Amino acid sequence: MIFPSSTFKIYLATDPVDFRKGMDGLAAHVMRNFDLDPFCGAFFVFRSKGSDKTKVLMWDGTGLVLIYKRIEGRGFVWPKMQGGTVTLTKAQFEALFEGLDWGRVATAHYTHPKIA
C-alpha cells in the first residue's frame, strides 16, 4: 500500500487512458491534456477502460515512479467520465486504492483558531 503525505496534490484523470502507456507516455499525457507538470511531485491517478486497473504516476525527486494495481472483485469506484481531472484528498486516494467508494469519504475543513 502506498500512502502519500497529506501535503501532496493528488489528481485523478476521469477518462480512461491507453494502458499500454508507460511512464513517459503518461507524463506526456499529463502535460498535453491537463496542462500540469508531471515532475512537480503530485500523484497522477489513471484508470483503464475496465474498472479493475489503475496506474499512479509520481515524481519522487530522483525519477518517475509508476505503480500499477489490478483489483479483484467489482473493481475500483471511478467518477463519471467528464474529461480533465478531479482532485482527491489523501483519505479519498487511500479509499480508492483499496477499492472502496472514495466519494463517500468526508472531507474535513478545518479553521485555524484566532489568537486569543
Side-chain angles (χ1 to χ4, degrees):
M1 176 66 168
I2 57 171
F3 292 107
S5 111
S6 59
T7 60
F8 284 98
K9 293 248 186 213
I10 304 166
Y11 299 99
L12 171 63
T14 61
D15 290 339
V17 297
D18 182 352
F19 257 45
R20 295 175 290 184
K21 290 183 181 191
M23 291 180 212
D24 296 327
L26 291 173
H29 185 85
V30 168
M31 288 187 289
R32 194 172 37 249
N33 295 353
F34 308 134
D35 198 28
L36 294 170
D37 179 9
F39 306 105
C40 67
F43 282 62
F44 298 94
V45 182
F46 300 94
R47 63 176 289 180
S48 65
K49 287 184 182 176
S51 64
D52 64 335
K53 296 179 200 77
T54 187
K55 284 186 177 182
V56 181
L57 180 73
M58 61 101 42
W59 173 260
D60 73 353
T62 62
L64 284 172
V65 177
L66 181 64
I67 301 156
Y68 181 108
K69 183 172 182 176
R70 182 183 68 210
I71 196 165
E72 302 300 323
R74 65 185 177 120
F76 293 102
V77 178
W78 298 111
K80 185 181 289 188
M81 291 185 221
Q82 60 191 19
T85 62
V86 172
T87 304
L88 300 180
T89 65
K90 179 181 185 286
Q92 289 172 324
F93 172 77
E94 290 169 358
L96 170 75
F97 203 75
E98 289 297 320
L100 303 173
D101 185 354
W102 62 272
R104 296 184 62 162
V105 174
T107 56
H109 297 284
Y110 299 100
T111 58
H112 296 285
K114 298 195 185 322
I115 298 174

